[in-house]
Amino acid sequence: MPEDKKDIEDNKVLAAISYLWILCLVPLFLKRDSKFAQFHAKQGLVLFVLELLGSLVFWFPLFGQVLMLGLFVVAIFGAYKAINGEWYKIPYIYDFSKKINL
């Protein structure tokens, strides 16, 4: 990923917010000029959609709870990487996020 230290420093908090459910839309639409914020916001959007779908199966014993817990852990890890200024590609999530063109 391109290394623009000013972009990362200025936008790492918003990038971390991208992993908090619907708040992924904030940097997605307000920070269009930031490659770092967009990178994390798109991954956050994919996670958000997966969490919405996961909430439909949450009530199935064990499977739904494990799925939601896994998504929660991935979101926390993504926010941690963003706040540290890292371009971390979440496995599988990143592949879907590359296809988002807003």
Side-chain angles (χ1 to χ4, degrees):
M1 289 290 138
E3 281 295 319
D4 184 0
K5 295 200 185 298
K6 180 161 176 37
D7 178 28
I8 293 171
E9 238 359 88
D10 291 348
N11 296 299
K12 65 183 178 181
V13 172
L14 272 177
I17 288 173
S18 300
Y19 294 98
L20 300 175
W21 302 285
I22 199 159
L23 293 178
C24 64
L25 298 176
V26 172
L28 198 59
F29 292 116
L30 295 181
K31 289 294 186 174
R32 290 191 172 280
D33 58 330
S34 169
K35 291 183 191 265
F36 186 71
Q38 289 292 305
F39 173 83
H40 285 286
K42 288 177 181 179
Q43 289 191 128
L45 180 61
V46 172
L47 269 176
F48 175 62
V49 170
L50 288 174
E51 288 165 350
L52 285 177
L53 294 173
S55 69
L56 297 175
V57 296
F58 179 77
W59 301 108
F60 289 103
L62 193 60
F63 176 72
Q65 288 85 1
V66 170
L67 175 65
M68 291 304 283
L69 179 63
L71 291 172
F72 178 73
V73 169
V74 169
I76 295 299
F77 188 71
Y80 173 77
K81 290 292 193 179
I83 204 75
N84 285 325
E86 297 178 41
W87 296 82
Y88 181 72
K89 297 176 184 176
I90 301 171
Y92 305 109
I93 302 293
Y94 174 72
D95 296 333
F96 288 107
S97 73
K98 288 190 306 187
K99 297 175 184 177
I100 298 173
N101 292 320
L102 295 176

